[in-house]
Amino acid sequence: MSAETVLIRLNGREVSAPVGQPLAQVLTAVDPALRFSPKDKAPRGMFCGMGLCFECMVEVDGLRRRSCLTPVSAGMVVRTGEGAA
Amino acid sequence: MTMAADLLSCDVAVIGAGPAGLAAAKEAAAAGADVLCLDLYDRPGGQYAMQPGDPSGPLAASEAARLGRDLAEAARAAGVRLLSRAELFWAAPEGEGFLLYAALDGGAGALAVRARAVVVAAGAMERPLPFPGWTLPGVIGAGAAQRLVKSGGALPFGGKVVLAGTGAFLMAVASTFAKAGRRIDHFVERQPLRPLSSLTMLAPWPSRWSAAAGLLADLRRTGAQQHHGHAVTRALGRDRLEAVEIAPVDALGRPDLSRAERIGGVGALCIGYGFQPVIDATTALGADHAHNPALGGWHCLARPDSGETSRPGLYAAGETCGIGGMRPALVSGRIAGLSAAARVLGRTPDPGLMRSLAAELAKARRFAVSLAAHWPAPEAPPVPLPEAEVICRCEDVRLSDIRAAVQAGAAETFAVKMWTRAGMGPCQGRVCGAALAAALAEAGVPPGQAGYNRAHLPLRPVPMNAVHAALARTARPDTPGTGPA
Ligand SMILES: Cc1cc2nc3c(=O)[nH]c(=O)nc-3n(C[C@H](O)[C@H](O)[C@H](O)COP(=O)(O)OP(=O)(O)OC[C@H]3O[C@@H](n4cnc5c(N)ncnc54)[C@H](O)[C@@H]3O)c2cc1C
Ligand code: FES
């Protein structure tokens, strides 16, 4: 890919990512577990990739978002691991 | 945080900018209606005609990507207002017309729309069937894998890639991988190789021969080791997928677990057992729906010659009316767009044109039906499930919980939901619906009787301030028989 690479902040750490790529793609490469299930606290990752299962929910600049639908942009602040025990 | 929402009005609102929605919007606008088309994604195109992330990459030149660009351009040229990153989260009738509510940019903004007629072309989604280990990170839908590759990049999981399930769509996914120069390690198709019956199926459709040959060649180009007549019986791993177990299946599709073999070092299992229509908007608006396994289960009923549903002024097109693929989607979109425009403009659509479009739709659907018969989508999970397997991913509801509810008398999807919370989470039963139906079928309740998960406000988990901002722009909407859960 020829896309320009930018820096995002992932759980307090700087990570470089191609601008415009689905955030889920970048996060999954770091760790495919994006959050934990509500009761079992089991790790979960992206599943449907099209915005309908909500397994890829993360926090982006303070708003809960589906990372499979969120394009990477410079300086976004991302927090994964929702629901951790 | 308070938010202000916009209020727009239009003659015809189209939900979805896939092939069906774009075709509908263009026809309606060309006929003289003022048309607004809303779509959740960044760019118009929907699934088949999704625009690749890299506009100069190898996928941008594909027939599918070109179709999406052409349709969007034609719609814009006809005067359609195309709104991307706009997700419908509620809809209600208002007098002769409709009120629609959408979240903008994932809930950062909100919108209310007053429309005189509505076309729902919300497409399809995968119809997930659980199997042991299906909730592990690294197990994704086959369609999810295709979208990731189209978005421009390798699958982000590391390790081997296994593409599994059943259907012509698996070949389409493999073809996308091949065109993007991505490899697949294992291809696992539940159906055995059936060259003779495949040729018989394709014989009456010469226009499809070269595409079919291309798909086979692309599958070979991925480098995948092919396992026909096999099914995935288990995904294994601690915190993420590590290995996949596959086994040969018998003529009834039952896997022979004693002959299971393990594939190690797997990063991604991309699995697809077919599609189901997206019907949240049409059920919220109270249109009639029916169940037919050959059409992906529950689908919205629309008249083939007008696209009108049981609710006057509400039209449906594309996969929302039953799985059939891109061609029926395009034609049904044109039909619905022409009819919706005629309604609001007080005209009658050209009967000759409508007749020929209806005939074209019937033909396109016939091919879809023969494909579906060649690759029947399994109704029940392909492997026996352990009692402790999670069925509802949103609420961690296990098969044992669901069986207990059914045994205690929950005889429809809605009752199981009330009892166990299965389907009450953010996905509103879109992901667990097929498995719930299978559990009820096992207890003797056929899917047509079990019903579908009823839509509730908001249809998608939109931030509450966006919901309030949009609803506040209009008088309180009616909620036909559904209401907030
Ligand atoms: C993941 C996936 C991949 C597919 N890939 C192929 C393929 O490679 N080849 C093939 O022949 N077929 C493919 N299909 C089948 C596909 O359904 C049809 O080929 C075709 O895209 C159907 O056109 P459509 O317009 O009915 O729906 P779609 O193309 O699915 O378009 C529906 C649109 O509606 C939007 N939408 C839905 N709900 C809302 C809402 N509430 N608010 C706003 N917008 C909404 C969606 O975002 C989407 O853009 C795929 C299906 C899926 C689910
Ligand atoms: S992966 Fe399903 S919503 Fe993002």
Side-chain angles (χ1 to χ4, degrees):
Chain A
M1 263 269 315
S2 50
E4 176 202 350
T5 297
V6 296
L7 287 178
I8 64 170
R9 205 162 184 84
L10 170 59
N11 301 326
R13 217 158 49 84
E14 298 236 291
V15 172
S16 72
V19 75
Q21 208 172 64
L23 182 58
Q25 199 149 356
V26 174
L27 302 181
T28 300
V30 176
D31 182 350
L34 301 179
R35 46 181 284 278
F36 297 87
S37 71
K39 284 200 329 227
D40 299 351
K41 304 293 175 196
R44 295 286 176 79
M46 69 173 300
F47 181 62
C48 75
M50 58 178 287
L52 288 176
C53 75
F54 310 98
E55 290 280 36
C56 66
M57 282 298 212
V58 300
E59 197 187 295
V60 181
D61 297 330
L63 200 63
R64 289 181 77 233
R65 281 183 183 274
R66 285 161 274 181
S67 54
C68 71
L69 294 184
T70 308
V72 166
S73 67
M76 58 181 13
V77 178
V78 183
R79 191 172 296 280
T80 67
E82 172 184 286
Chain B
M1 210 180 7
T2 56
M3 183 189 286
D6 284 332
L7 174 63
L8 300 177
S9 24
C10 60
D11 291 331
V12 177
V14 178
I15 307 305
L22 288 171
K26 187 241 159 184
E27 290 294 344
D34 172 27
V35 181
L36 185 67
C37 177
L38 306 183
D39 191 277
L40 162 63
Y41 295 143
D42 278 357
R43 276 166 298 207
Q47 302 301 352
Y48 169 77
M50 173 186 171
Q51 295 307 299
D54 182 358
S56 55
L59 293 174
S62 71
E63 191 190 330
R66 210 161 343 114
L67 175 74
R69 281 195 300 275
D70 291 350
L71 287 171
E73 210 168 290
R76 282 199 189 96
V80 174
R81 285 179 283 165
L82 266 177
L83 225 55
S84 289
R85 310 194 79 177
E87 183 172 32
L88 182 86
F89 68 78
W90 194 241
E94 181 196 46
E96 302 269 281
F98 300 88
L99 290 171
L100 307 175
Y101 303 92
L104 302 177
D105 183 25
L111 176 69
V113 178
R114 191 162 259 137
R116 297 170 61 204
V118 171
V119 179
V120 176
M125 63 177 287
E126 272 173 300
R127 186 165 170 281
L129 289 172
F131 55 93
W134 75 305
T135 56
L136 279 170
V139 178
I140 61 173
Q146 189 194 38
R147 288 183 60 85
L148 282 171
V149 170
K150 284 186 180 174
S151 310
L155 288 195
F157 298 89
K160 290 179 196 157
V161 174
V162 178
L163 176 63
T166 192
F169 178 60
L170 282 192
M171 309 259 278
V173 176
S175 167
T176 302
F177 273 71
K179 291 197 176 88
R182 306 277 169 208
R183 67 172 280 118
I184 296 172
D185 296 277
H186 294 269
F187 177 84
V188 185
E189 163 63 55
R190 192 169 181 253
Q191 291 287 344
L193 266 183
R194 302 161 293 165
L196 203 63
S197 77
S198 301
L199 287 176
T200 315
M201 194 271 298
L202 279 169
W205 305 95
S207 63
R208 310 297 177 103
W209 293 350
S210 75
L215 288 177
L216 283 171
D218 283 347
L219 173 57
R220 277 194 299 274
R221 278 205 292 149
T222 63
Q225 192 179 330
Q226 299 183 26
H227 312 263
H228 296 269
H230 279 67
V232 167
T233 51
R234 238 174 356 148
L236 299 147
R238 245 177 61 85
D239 294 329
R240 62 186 289 177
L241 179 67
E242 288 158 22
V244 167
E245 214 172 68
I246 66 171
V249 297
D250 66 15
L252 293 174
R254 290 173 307 206
D256 179 353
L257 296 174
S258 70
R259 289 162 65 204
E261 54 182 299
R262 184 178 291 206
I263 303 169
V266 179
L269 168 59
C270 319
I271 190 157
Y273 283 108
F275 293 118
Q276 63 193 12
V278 173
I279 54 169
D280 50 1
T282 48
T283 54
L285 282 168
D288 287 345
H289 290 69
H291 187 275
N292 178 352
L295 294 174
W298 286 103
H299 57 281
C300 182
L301 291 172
R303 290 178 49 133
D305 59 351
S306 71
E308 196 164 23
T309 68
S310 61
R311 183 172 276 282
L314 174 64
Y315 301 78
E319 307 280 69
T320 296
C321 307
I323 302 307
M326 173 272 282
R327 282 162 220 251
L330 272 179
V331 188
S332 63
R334 292 188 62 194
I335 294 172
L338 286 166
S339 311
R343 176 188 169 89
V344 299
L345 300 172
R347 298 192 202 132
T348 321
D350 175 356
L353 175 61
M354 296 310 272
R355 253 197 316 277
S356 80
L357 286 174
E360 204 182 312
L361 177 59
K363 183 172 174 206
R365 282 221 172 264
R366 270 201 305 281
F367 179 72
V369 165
S370 55
L371 263 189
H374 195 62
W375 274 287
E379 281 293 283
V383 244
L385 292 175
E387 287 277 318
E389 192 58 51
V390 165
I391 302 295
C392 163
R393 303 169 67 111
C394 296
E395 301 280 337
D396 280 327
V397 182
R398 297 172 190 281
L399 180 60
S400 51
D401 304 327
I402 289 162
R403 288 214 171 121
V406 172
Q407 245 155 36
E412 57 159 27
T413 307
F414 187 66
V416 173
K417 164 168 149 179
M418 285 310 170
W419 211 294
T420 64
R421 298 190 61 79
M424 224 179 250
C427 95
Q428 293 204 18
R430 282 179 271 260
V431 175
C432 62
L436 284 187
L440 281 159
E442 183 192 72
V445 186
Q449 200 176 313
Y452 47 78
N453 219 313
R454 287 171 215 175
H456 57 250
L457 171 74
L459 299 174
R460 314 285 170 92
V462 168
M464 279 325 279
N465 59 343
V467 172
H468 289 308
L471 293 183
R473 287 310 307 259
T474 66
R476 199 182 152 68
D478 303 335
T479 49
T482 46

